[in-house]
Each structure stands twice: as C-alpha cells, then as structure tokens.
C-alpha cells in the first residue's frame, strides 16, 4: 500500500508544492496588477499606493491565494490525470483528444469550487477594505452575512476561465511534448520555457475575464446579471475603452511568464522524482 499511495496522489502533491513556491514568489506582483485592474492606474501609481500603505500590507491577504492556489493547482493537475484515466478506460472514445479535452474542462470545474478563496482575496487586496476588514476572519464574516451566494460571487466567470484555459494548457502542452524534446541537461529550462510561454499566452487571452471578475468581487452585494451584461457593464465603467480593460496586461503576462515557468518546472521536476 505504501508503494501505491505516492503513485496515486503524486499529481495532487506535485501541483500543490509547485503552487506554494509560485505564490510566495509572485504575490506582490499579483497585488500590483489587481490595483491596476480596479483603479485603472499605472504601475508606478500602484507601487506608490502600496508603498504608502507600508511593508506590513505587502503580503496582506496572501493566506487566501496560498490556500486557494495550493488546492487549486493540486486539483488542476491531480484531477486532470484522474479524469483522463477514468474517461479513457470507460468511454468509447478511447485514447482520443476528446477524452483529454473533457478531462481538462472537468479539472477546471473542480478548481472553481474554490471560488470563495478568490472572492475573499479580492476584498483583502482592495484598498477600500484595508481598515474595515482588518483580517481574513473579518473578511469571511462580512461576506458570510450575505449568504453562500455572496461567497460564490463570480463563480461562472471562474468556471469559464478555468475550464477553457485548462483545455488549451494541457492540449498545447501535450502537443509540445509529442513534437519537441529538451536537450540533455536542459530539461528544467525546457519545462520553464513551456510553462512560461503557455502562461503568458493564456493569461493575456483570459485577462478581460479576470478584470470583470475582480471588479465584481471587489464589492459586497449579489449581482445577478448575466455574463454578457457583466462584461458590458465593466466595459462601460472603463470608459468604453478596450485599452482600459487591458490596463496592467504587460505586468500580468510578465508575472505569468515567471509564475507558470515556476509552476511547470517545479511540477515536472517533482513528478520525475516520484517515478
């Protein structure tokens, strides 16, 4: 049984460890991007804003992404492999890309169950709640007063983002593995490059979804508008400007290069160690 356990859960464990390393390294960058998305300000303005708040607020709210991304990455990699095996073994489309695409979407749907962590993180990062929400417990109590629906505010946006980004991530990654191989001794560089490239591409592609999600989750009170109406509302709030929607995208894909490079290289390294 001890020999089976690591093999059975290794993808979950490897995903979680990769996430912890990544979150610790990139959280301050995430906070700057968040401020740009909410206020439509420049990088310098966001840095000055955070500098004015002091060093003690730099990692404020990090507990939620640390837990959420840890579980999320664990679920993303772990369930993708589990769903793939399950679908290939039990469905008539054996060993086709269809099984892997559905597995990727289902892994994204599984990740979306951690929406409350993203919901609370958005409040903790917002300058307007720095004093009224002094810690994570108060943030949870404030949201909980409005019910479970308030905790899952933005769920459909997260489901859309996670599901389709996972399909692209695992699909392109598998294709690259099939047609390209790292040179001997450069495996870590190769894995970092693959993760960095995919991260930059997907984070830019789904950037508007994150802008709408962050704007939605940075307020208290349920909004029952459809996804299309939420996009149009955010677009109007940004002065009917696509450029304003993409404010902060440069830093975002810069962070994604570092973030997904770390995630993919640490993940692949740990999977190799378990084999």
């Amino acid at each position: 049984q001890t020999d089976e356990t690591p093999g059975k859960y290794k993808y979950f464990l490897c995903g979680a460890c990769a996430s912890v390393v990544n979150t610790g390294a990139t959280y301050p960058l995430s906070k700057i991007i968040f401020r740009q998305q909410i206020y439509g300000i420049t990088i310098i303005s966001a840095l000055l804003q955070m500098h004015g708040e002091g060093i003690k607020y730099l990692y404020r709210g990090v507990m939620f992404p640390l837990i959420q991304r840890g579980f999320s990455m664990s679920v993303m990699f772990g369930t993708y492999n589990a769903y793939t095996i399950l679908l290939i073994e039990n469905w008539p489309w054996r060993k086709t890309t269809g099984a892997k695409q559905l597995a990727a979407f289902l892994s994204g749907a599984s990740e979306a169950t951690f929406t409350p962590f993203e919901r609370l993180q958005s409040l903790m990062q917002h300058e307007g709640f720095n004093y009224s929400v002094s810690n994570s417990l108060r943030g949870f109590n404030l949201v909980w007063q409005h019910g479970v629906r308030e905790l899952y505010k933005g769920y459909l946006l997260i489901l859309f983002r996670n599901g389709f980004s996972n399909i692209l991530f695992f699909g392109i990654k598998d294709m690259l593995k099939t047609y390209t191989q790292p040179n001997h001794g450069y495996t870590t560089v190769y894995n970092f490059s693959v993760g960095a490239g995919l991260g930059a591409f997907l984070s830019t592609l789904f950037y508007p979804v994150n802008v709408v999600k962050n704007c939605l989750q940075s307020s208290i009170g349920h909004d029952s508008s459809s996804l299309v109406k939420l996009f149009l509302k955010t677009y109007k709030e940004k002065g009917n400007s696509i450029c304003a929607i993409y404010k902060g995208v440069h830093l975002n894909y810069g962070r994604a290069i570092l973030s997904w490079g770390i995630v993919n290289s640490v993940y692949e390294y740990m999977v190799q160690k378990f084999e």
Side-chain angles (χ1 to χ4, degrees):
Q1 187 177 359
T2 47
D3 291 338
E4 291 178 3
T5 303
K8 189 176 181 181
Y9 298 108
K10 70 176 180 181
Y11 298 109
F12 289 94
L13 180 60
C14 293
C17 291
S19 174
V20 169
V21 174
N22 166 57
T23 302
T26 61
Y27 185 74
L29 283 175
S30 301
K31 201 163 186 177
I32 294 170
I33 293 165
F34 177 85
R35 296 290 177 89
Q36 286 191 281
Q37 290 176 337
I38 296 299
Y39 300 115
I41 56 179
T42 64
I43 294 174
I44 299 299
S45 297
L47 282 169
L48 289 172
Q49 192 181 76
M50 289 167 61
H51 180 266
E53 293 168 11
I55 192 70
K56 70 175 183 177
Y57 285 109
L58 182 61
Y59 274 86
R60 172 183 157 83
V62 72
M63 185 186 78
F64 290 118
L66 202 61
I67 297 172
Q68 181 262 324
R69 289 176 193 167
F71 278 113
S72 182
M73 286 288 176
S74 174
V75 168
M76 174 184 169
F77 288 105
T79 59
Y80 171 70
N81 284 280
Y83 287 140
T84 299
I85 293 168
L86 183 68
L87 290 169
I88 287 175
E89 287 180 350
N90 296 283
W91 287 66
W93 53 22
R94 260 175 211 278
K95 299 182 181 178
T96 64
T97 54
K100 290 189 173 183
Q101 288 172 349
L102 180 55
F105 185 85
L106 290 173
S107 73
S110 299
E111 283 183 83
T113 58
F114 299 109
T115 294
F117 290 106
E118 284 197 51
R119 172 77 183 94
L120 292 166
Q121 180 193 347
S122 295
L123 284 184
M124 297 294 289
Q125 286 185 330
H126 198 290
E127 184 192 28
F129 292 96
N130 271 353
Y131 301 105
S132 59
V133 181
S134 58
N135 56 55
S136 303
L137 183 59
R138 286 194 178 182
F140 175 79
N141 287 335
L142 178 64
V143 174
W144 183 250
Q145 287 173 13
H146 296 265
V148 175
R149 288 183 72 187
E150 188 68 22
L151 268 177
Y152 277 87
K153 190 177 185 180
Y155 171 79
L156 290 179
L157 288 164
I158 293 170
L159 176 64
F160 176 85
R161 179 199 67 194
N162 289 359
F164 289 103
S165 66
N166 278 9
I167 289 173
L168 291 171
F169 178 82
F170 287 113
I172 297 172
K173 184 180 174 181
D174 285 348
M175 183 180 69
L176 289 173
K177 277 187 173 181
T178 302
Y179 294 106
T180 62
Q181 291 295 328
N183 293 327
H184 180 69
Y186 290 92
T187 306
T188 302
V189 175
Y190 172 82
N191 289 331
F192 185 93
S193 300
V194 169
L198 284 172
F201 167 63
L202 294 174
S203 67
T204 302
L205 181 65
F206 290 96
Y207 190 78
V209 180
N210 279 332
V211 172
V212 176
K213 178 194 76 72
N214 285 336
C215 289
L216 179 67
Q217 291 184 332
S218 294
S219 61
I220 298 293
H222 187 72
D223 191 329
S224 57
S225 302
S226 66
L227 294 183
V228 174
K229 285 185 177 179
L230 286 172
F231 272 98
L232 291 174
K233 180 183 175 184
T234 304
Y235 178 69
K236 188 176 180 181
E237 288 174 351
K238 299 294 182 181
N240 299 320
S241 170
I242 294 294
C243 290
I245 288 284
Y246 273 91
K247 194 86 171 180
V249 72
H250 300 93
L251 190 59
N252 184 68
Y253 68 65
R255 177 198 61 176
I257 288 171
L258 176 63
S259 179
W260 281 97
I262 292 171
V263 166
N264 198 53
S265 54
V266 172
Y267 173 79
E268 293 293 345
Y269 172 80
M270 293 201 65
V271 167
Q272 208 172 32
K273 288 297 180 184
F274 272 110
E275 289 176 351

